[in-house]
Amino acid sequence: MNTEIDRYLSTLLSFAPGPSRTSRIGGDYVSLIHIPVTGPEKVYSVAFGGEVNILTVARYRETIWEYMSLGMNGDPSPQVNVLQAEVETSHPVFEILDENLLTGCENRSDGGPGLEYCMLMWQKSGHASVTECWEPYGRNDEDWISLIGSMEVLSSQYEYAVADSEL
């Protein structure tokens, strides 16, 4: 059964690292789905590697719900800008984006439509979790705010580098 919510989540999760075809368990990763009150969704992911980590940022051009509600079911997915970059493991953001921060992002699942929403999926050092938070800034939740800020800072550095190289 493929409901609208299944299609919605499948679209967002298509940019999150996960298990490989040969193994049920993938490598270490962090994936943050950000659904703002207004505007399109963003997915930030880091797949941790040996010498470099792979950053993937997917920014949708229109909200997925709007796209689906307009009856654009013939297209496989809404328009999205995707950035992928190799990031040195020594990057200062990875000192912040550690297991302590990730485990500190507890479920804050009391919320609903009209509020900012974030979902965190991660696996690191043998631990894994999926958590969500409604209104991380309104709650003044330091762990969620640090997580979101770290992913935005990391992605913005590479987005600006790409923009500069295209000039």
Side-chain angles (χ1 to χ4, degrees), residues 54-150:
I54 304 297
L55 167 70
T56 304
V57 182
R59 294 183 186 272
Y60 289 88
R61 293 186 187 171
E62 64 266 342
T63 66
I64 298 169
W65 281 123
E66 287 175 10
Y67 179 86
M68 289 170 50
S69 70
L70 294 174
M72 299 180 185
N73 299 331
D75 293 334
S77 63
Q79 294 294 310
V80 62
N81 292 328
V82 179
L83 164 74
Q84 193 167 58
E86 291 183 352
V87 183
E88 301 269 336
T89 57
S90 60
H91 192 287
V93 164
F94 298 122
E95 291 178 24
I96 298 167
L97 198 60
D98 64 8
E99 194 174 328
N100 290 329
L101 175 70
L102 298 171
T103 57
C105 291
E106 298 176 8
N107 262 330
R108 309 278 188 235
S109 57
D110 53 333
L115 300 175
E116 181 178 20
Y117 176 80
C118 294
M119 178 189 283
L120 168 65
M121 296 163 288
W122 66 275
Q123 177 173 297
K124 195 163 189 205
S125 304
H127 300 6
S129 184
V130 176
T131 58
E132 64 180 351
C133 184
W134 294 89
E135 291 296 317
Y137 293 99
R139 294 176 187 274
N140 201 24
D141 190 308
E142 291 180 21
D143 289 324
W144 278 98
I145 292 169
S146 294
L147 170 69
I148 296 164
S150 296

Side-chain angles (χ1 to χ4, degrees), residues 5 9 17 29 36 38 42 52 56-57 71 90 112 122 128 130 161 167:
I5 192 71
L9 289 173
Y29 70 93
T38 59
K42 294 172 231 148
V52 295
T56 304
V57 182
S90 60
W122 66 275
V130 176
L167 296 176

